[in-house]
């Protein structure tokens, strides 16, 4: 995709704010391309990367959870989140086994599935880390893959705890 010229992406579920930021970033960069020299352009690229890092910093993105509630039904969100957490915990165990056994194809498969379900359920940091690990697997960079995968269970458990707290708040009314 990069060789074909792709230089950005949006993830599912589509988040209105993220989409608007992406459109603004690329329409602004195209407008100003002609008038910027290379050093100014590089500074703009760096600041947009910083903005992305700040946006993805939270473990859980509440806006994605709100969108999920609008797309489905607020009543089923606790059940959806519990199903997601249960499935994700099983995948984390499979990922640990794949790491210790150096089963990189299994690792890539489980990481891809985890990444997709994580973003759907607002688990932003887990999604971002899983995407990076998946890319490293695809590049056959197994040493880096294992380095990046080490904190994955900790980040997953922290985010699951936050999601479980969110479920408790919803159920408490």
């Amino acid at each position: 995709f990069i060789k074909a010229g792709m230089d950005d992406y949006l993830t599912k579920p589509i988040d209105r704010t993220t989409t608007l930021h992406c459109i603004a970033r690329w329409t602004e960069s195209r407008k100003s391309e002609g008038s910027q020299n290379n050093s100014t352009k590089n500074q703009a690229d760096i600041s947009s990367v910083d903005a992305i890092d700040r946006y993805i910093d939270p473990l859980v993105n509440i806006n994605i959870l709100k969108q999920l509630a609008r797309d489905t039904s607020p009543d089923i969100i606790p059940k959806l989140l519990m199903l997601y957490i249960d499935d994700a915990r099983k995948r984390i165990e499979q990922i640990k086994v794949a790491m210790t056994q150096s089963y990189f194809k299994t690792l890539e498969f489980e990481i891809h599935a985890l990444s997709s379900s994580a973003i759907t359920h607002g688990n932003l940091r887990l999604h971002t880390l899983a995407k990076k690990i998946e890319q490293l697997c695809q590049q056959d960079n197994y040493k880096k893959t294992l380095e990046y995968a080490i904190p994955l269970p900790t980040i997953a458990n922290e985010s699951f705890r936050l999601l479980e707290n969110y479920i408790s708040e919803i159920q408490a009314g």
Side-chain angles (χ1 to χ4, degrees):
F1 293 106
I2 292 170
K3 286 179 186 175
M6 181 175 160
D7 46 13
D8 208 341
Y9 67 94
L10 292 169
T11 58
K12 296 182 290 185
I14 299 299
D15 176 73
R16 184 175 189 270
T17 304
T18 306
T19 303
L20 292 174
H21 283 280
C22 185
I23 292 168
R25 181 173 51 251
W26 288 107
T27 55
E28 182 62 32
S29 68
R30 293 241 160 76
K31 256 194 275 183
S32 58
E33 270 180 11
S35 63
Q36 289 183 339
N37 63 33
N38 283 340
S39 65
T40 308
K41 187 175 181 207
N42 288 339
Q43 285 177 337
D45 291 344
I46 290 167
S47 66
S48 69
V49 168
D50 291 342
I52 291 168
D53 287 343
R54 282 193 302 275
Y55 182 74
I56 64 173
D57 186 52
L59 283 170
V60 174
N61 184 315
I62 195 72
N63 291 326
I64 293 173
L65 294 175
K66 288 178 181 177
Q67 184 62 48
L68 184 60
R70 285 190 295 270
D71 291 345
T72 58
S73 166
D75 297 338
I76 67 166
I77 294 302
K79 184 164 178 81
L80 285 176
L81 289 175
M82 287 308 298
L83 289 170
Y84 157 69
I85 291 168
D86 183 55
D87 179 68
R89 282 190 170 128
K90 289 174 185 170
R91 290 194 186 280
I92 294 291
E93 290 307 312
Q94 291 296 320
I95 288 165
K96 287 179 187 176
V97 170
M99 287 171 55
T100 59
Q101 302 291 323
S102 298
Y103 295 150
F104 291 103
K105 288 299 175 191
T106 301
L107 178 63
E108 183 180 345
F109 175 82
E110 294 295 338
I111 284 286
H112 175 80
L114 180 67
S115 172
S116 295
S117 63
I119 194 62
T120 300
H121 296 90
N123 203 336
L124 206 50
R125 191 178 303 166
L126 184 61
H127 161 75
T128 303
L129 179 58
K131 280 309 261 185
K132 179 63 177 174
I133 295 167
E134 182 183 7
Q135 290 169 349
L136 292 168
C137 281
Q138 292 167 347
Q139 296 166 359
D140 296 330
N141 191 341
Y142 301 126
K143 182 179 178 188
K144 278 272 195 220
T145 296
L146 293 175
E147 287 175 26
Y148 273 82
I150 289 170
L152 187 91
T154 302
I155 290 171
N157 287 328
E158 289 173 20
S159 62
F160 298 156
R161 182 182 51 75
L162 289 173
L163 287 169
E164 287 166 341
N165 289 344
Y166 182 71
I167 292 167
S168 295
E169 288 176 20
I170 291 171
Q171 291 173 334

